[in-house]
Amino acid sequence: MDIPIQWKAYNLKIAITGGNGRLGSEATAYARARGHKVTVIDRDGDPGPQTEIMDLTDFDSVAAVISRGGFDAVIHLAGMPGRTRVAGDVLFRNNMLTSYNVLTAARQADVRKIVFASSETILGLPFDTSPTELPIVETSPTTFRVGHDYGMVKHLEDQIAQQMAADDPRLSISAIMLTTIVLPETYVDFARFEDDARGRGYNLWSYTDVRDAAQGVVRAAEYAEPGYERFILAADDTVMTTPTSELVGRYHPSSRLTKQLGTHESLFSNEKAKRVLRYSPQFGWRSER
């Protein structure tokens, strides 16, 4: 079914939490290049006229900035990455409080558009058990695993966002389900994945270039259709030179294929993001090694 589309593509006032991080800085640059006015909200960096530095686990600080900003959209990217070497309770407290504060402050300030960094982790990672069907899409049947602290927060964020959108029919929330974000300087190391295909199969050999991830989250901020929507962001291809059909046959022979696969086609489908958000991956390891 086609999704009706409303767009507010130009001259938006956007707050980007985590805007000094690697993805956040790319998203900030991309948004500004498209003519948007961006305010960065982060715990690290130097304060300035377009940058607010604060502890995002402190609700009053977050709410004060968002309430006075007059923002059209909030892009929430702040939080400890899943592989941060800290105790699980530390990661959970930081990421859960940060997300609650940002989403709640945005809603209280009557921000009409919220984008937040969801994750592939709530779609069944690690895939040591074969998925029912492939490629993975936003509505694929999966089993959420509560033993993953980072994934647990992402699952709870997803539930909060869905409830917020259900409570306010004017609100547009986009959950951006990011596959593993990679930096272009790491492409030289991709050849080693052939030596450990099973190990790299934890997320079905998918990835997203950080520059394409930035494009996706900003385009989601421009998408203003009310309601809650999930969007998977992934590169068009896998990290492997082994053909995708061979990987599926070797490691997931019980999974039902819902389409004919291209030679190196990703097993995380980005088709919805392309169709609805006009997402168009521009960068990949095969062309930039």
Side-chain angles (χ1 to χ4, degrees), residues 18-19 21-28 77 117 178 181 210-211 213-215 217:
R22 186 58 191 264
L23 173 56
S25 60
E26 292 281 355
T28 297
L77 306 177
L178 297 161
I181 295 176
V210 67
R211 296 162 291 183
Q215 176 208 147
V217 298

Side-chain angles (χ1 to χ4, degrees), residues 53-121:
I53 303 301
M54 69 186 65
D55 177 3
L56 280 86
T57 66
D58 179 72
F59 179 77
D60 290 341
S61 298
V62 175
V65 170
I66 293 180
S67 65
R68 68 171 181 259
F71 297 114
D72 299 298
V74 170
I75 299 176
H76 175 42
L77 306 177
M80 294 179 178
R83 296 183 180 181
T84 304
R85 294 183 180 276
V86 297
D89 63 303
V90 174
L91 184 146
F92 182 90
R93 180 184 184 279
N94 179 85
N95 288 8
M96 194 72 252
L97 272 178
T98 296
S99 294
Y100 170 82
N101 290 347
V102 173
L103 270 62
T104 302
R107 190 181 183 196
Q108 289 182 357
D110 202 32
V111 176
R112 295 289 89 214
K113 179 70 201 191
I114 299 172
V115 178
F116 71 98
S118 184
S119 169
E120 62 188 359
T121 57

Side-chain angles (χ1 to χ4, degrees), residues 165-234:
D167 286 347
D168 186 347
R170 303 170 301 162
L171 183 59
S172 175
I173 301 183
S174 296
I176 305 301
M177 311 191 84
L178 297 161
T179 57
T180 298
I181 295 176
V182 299
L183 310 180
E185 55 265 31
T186 67
Y187 285 150
V188 295
D189 299 322
F190 273 31
R192 64 184 174 84
F193 295 142
E194 293 297 326
D195 298 326
D196 184 23
R198 182 180 295 277
R200 188 54 182 80
Y202 69 90
N203 76 336
L204 303 174
W205 309 279
S206 66
Y207 75 103
T208 312
D209 187 287
V210 67
R211 296 162 291 183
D212 287 329
Q215 176 208 147
V217 298
V218 173
R219 287 184 178 273
E222 299 169 351
Y223 169 72
E225 188 69 25
Y228 168 86
E229 291 283 352
R230 287 176 170 180
F231 298 98
I232 292 173
L233 294 191

